[in-house]
Amino acid sequence: MFGRLIRFGGYQVLEALKNGPVKISQLRSSVPLYGSAFDFVLSQLMLAGLVRRFEKDGEEYAELTDLGKRFPYYGGYGPDPGYGLFYGHHHHGHCRQW
């Protein structure tokens, strides 16, 4: 359940941040995640090192980290097969076994 929330919500947040820092209030209104779901996804992206949060002129902003800028995904439509944090669920009928 949370995997889908993080996967789809996370890609929407990454897509919204690809052009530079965005105010948290604007990000919250542009991404279709509400309340604690938005906070949960944003905190998971920060824990993964893809997004950082900072304060400027009394406003909170979010931006992609260097790792977040290099994170392989297809413009918000899912992970690049074989790469990324979410690989191994259902990609073209195979799973990577270690």
Side-chain angles (χ1 to χ4, degrees):
M1 181 172 119
F2 292 118
R4 277 194 180 149
L5 176 67
I6 293 169
R7 185 168 47 245
F8 295 115
Y11 291 125
Q12 291 172 351
V13 170
L14 292 173
E15 184 69 18
L17 294 174
K18 73 178 184 178
N19 293 323
V22 176
K23 289 182 183 179
I24 296 289
S25 59
Q26 290 175 338
L27 184 62
R28 189 179 297 268
S29 66
S30 68
V31 175
L33 294 170
Y34 304 101
S36 59
F38 176 82
D39 295 333
F40 178 71
V41 168
L42 191 60
S43 68
Q44 292 300 307
L45 291 172
M46 289 188 311
L47 283 172
L50 301 175
V51 173
R52 80 176 190 98
R53 201 175 197 169
F54 65 96
E55 190 172 321
K56 177 180 167 187
D57 299 329
E59 290 279 345
E60 284 192 77
Y61 287 81
E63 71 177 353
L64 294 176
T65 62
D66 289 337
L67 177 62
K69 291 174 186 173
R70 291 190 306 265
F71 185 70
Y73 70 101
Y74 293 127
Y77 298 107
D80 191 5
Y83 302 99
L85 297 176
F86 310 110
Y87 181 71
H89 295 286
H90 59 286
H91 295 281
H92 310 293
H94 70 276
C95 285
R96 180 174 286 168
Q97 301 279 330
W98 296 104

